[in-house]
Amino acid sequence: MAFTRIDHIGIVCHDLDATVAFYTDTFGFELIHTEDIESQGVREAILRVNGTDDGALSCLQLLTPLHEDSAVSRWLAERGPGVHHIAFGTDDVDAAAGELGRAGIRVLFDPPGTGSRGSRVTFLHPKDCHGVLTELVTLP
Ligand code: V0V
Ligand code: CO
């Protein structure tokens, strides 16, 4: 199994526009994509941080809940804005998830589902990853 890069770091916020403005104005990151991902109950903004060795990007994914019963909404209410997950890029999310599942790590979407920008994604339970909600991403 090979992770090729940090695909994105997921950051949850109350005010997407204000948070985007902070990252563009303060750090100079470029806003490259926005999308509502209904299946996850989130609105996202993707900011480009840098290109990487495998030819894809490393990004920030700013997230705000679309409705009150999404996982992100509960998390925001309990903890406030901040880092929510880290996502690693892999050429084959199905193979990586299968291997990690056989190693005893709980895979949350089996089979993987559709994420941002048509990517194929799954998540590993934070309790099996030393407190970090971990996403695996294969780009289309
Ligand atoms: C919950 N916990 C976390 C956590 N969320 N720990 C670290 N980081 C997080 N983000 C802890 C929580 O404090 C509990 O610990 C324990 O895990 C169980 O939490 P829970 O109360 O049962 O919480 P739930 O019911 O909200 O479920 C948590 C999980 C859920 C992680 C299972 O959020 C999930 O299925 N996440 C995967 C989908 C997702 O996150 N979608 C939004 C991003 P204690 O209190 O028991 O110690 S969508 C996205 O990124 C996309 C589409 C993309 O393309 O990138
Ligand atoms: Co994500």
Side-chain angles (χ1 to χ4, degrees):
M1 185 198 58
F3 291 154
T4 50
R5 78 204 126 79
I6 293 172
D7 184 87
H8 63 268
I9 293 171
I11 296 171
V12 171
C13 60
H14 289 293
D15 184 337
L16 194 60
D17 291 342
T19 311
V20 168
F22 172 78
Y23 280 101
T24 54
D25 297 351
T26 309
F27 298 144
F29 296 144
E30 181 192 358
L31 175 65
I32 60 168
H33 184 76
T34 56
E35 183 176 338
D36 286 0
I37 307 168
E38 301 282 354
S39 63
Q40 293 300 310
V42 292
R43 173 165 297 161
E44 67 159 8
I46 300 284
L47 297 152
R48 180 190 193 280
V49 177
N50 65 294
T52 63
D53 289 348
D54 71 356
L57 302 178
S58 285
C59 297
L60 300 181
Q61 179 186 45
L62 307 183
L63 298 163
T64 200
L66 281 173
H67 46 73
E68 293 211 335
D69 61 350
S70 67
V72 161
S73 175
R74 280 195 302 277
W75 191 88
L76 190 56
E78 284 169 17
R79 302 200 192 191
V83 174
H84 177 259
H85 64 272
I86 183 165
F88 296 113
T90 170
D91 289 341
D92 188 342
V93 64
D94 295 77
E99 193 174 319
L100 292 162
R102 286 189 293 279
I105 295 172
R106 279 168 286 175
V107 176
L108 297 175
F109 303 160
D110 184 17
T114 302
S116 168
R117 297 160 290 165
S119 58
R120 191 162 167 80
V121 303
T122 192
F123 289 82
L124 307 176
H125 199 287
K127 293 294 178 192
D128 296 342
C129 299
H130 295 264
V132 178
L133 176 59
T134 302
E135 180 181 343
L136 314 182
V137 181
T138 299
L139 295 177

